[in-house]
Amino acid sequence: MSQSEIPLADIHVAIIMDGNGRWATARGRSRSAGHLAGARAARRLVEGARELGLGTLTLYAFSGDNWKRPPGEVGTLMRLFRRYLAAETARCVSTGIRLSIIGRRDRLSSQLRHAIDAAESATRDGDAMHLRVAVDYSARDAILAAASRAAQSDPTGLAAGGAQAREVFAAALGAVSHDLTPAPDVDLLIRTGGEQRLSDFLLWECAYAELWFTSRAWPDFTTADLLTALGDFARRNRRFGGLDAEEMVAASAIPVRVSSLAAG
Ligand code: FPP
């Protein structure tokens, strides 16, 4: 099946929403204003993605390393997350979006934790799209925590290696990230804001993700941009380390003696 034939409902898009600060500075506004514009962009994009029929969308809202930012900016972001949850939960319920917050919870305020619990439980039956928002998230920390959890809960499965170990590990990764119905691997990773790096986001789940970068700052990112990214994705040739059907035929028709490589 080519990329363009895969239903959008089976596709997982993850987005690193970068560029809020520079967007605001370029307009002579505060970084907080940039984050507010970023939250509005997130709201519009979630709605657009649901209308397109996307299956899973993961947004990187706050990394474990973002605690290093000035307390005022961290406070603004935490307030924004609470307001977002309070304002968006009813909309998610009415549009069939299941909302999960992935990441650590122990460093979040009790009010934010309660808002997360309420949003997740109110939206748990949503089947139109799975929206995951990463807050206090670090892929490396999640991988370490999952490895330790899997080693305790199913050492035999983990030691079996191969597909069985990967399944055991993926379940543990979901559990430590507070996502009890783990999402499929990421198909398309988008980063806005012009940088081209992963920044400790979904390192296990992005093993075969297609990467798509844009210099557009997050507050300006729209559903039309998402469609452009999905269009590029549909034209990519994903082989997951193997060959596609035509290459398989061609490769088996040309026997190459490995010893001839040594001969130069
Ligand atoms: C990176 O831009 C963005 C963040 C660290 C925060 C992302 C948060 C939002 C988009 C708003 C809240 C989202 C939801 C879903 C409620 P930056 O500040 O690092 O920008 P810069 O690189 O231009 O400084």
Side-chain angles (χ1 to χ4, degrees), residues 17-22 31 35 38-39 42 61 66 69 81 84 218:
M17 306 182 289
D18 195 14
N20 293 346
R22 280 164 287 158
R31 293 181 59 82
H35 293 314
N66 285 151
R69 295 194 176 200
F81 299 146
Y84 182 89
W218 173 251

Side-chain angles (χ1 to χ4, degrees), residues 149-166 168-169:
R149 186 183 180 106
Q152 279 182 5
S153 66
D154 190 354
T156 317
L158 201 59
Q164 190 184 346
R166 287 179 184 194
V168 168
F169 181 79

Side-chain angles (χ1 to χ4, degrees), residues 16-25 31 34-40 42-43 46 59-63 66 69 73 77 80-81 84-85 133 191 193 195 218:
I16 301 175
M17 306 182 289
D18 195 14
N20 293 346
R22 280 164 287 158
W23 180 92
T25 307
R31 293 181 59 82
H35 293 314
L36 180 60
R40 291 189 177 128
R43 194 177 63 201
V46 166
L59 301 176
Y60 202 6
F62 192 86
S63 76
N66 285 151
R69 295 194 176 200
E73 182 170 343
L77 282 165
L80 259 182
F81 299 146
Y84 182 89
L85 291 172
V133 180
R191 182 174 188 139
E195 310 290 352
W218 173 251

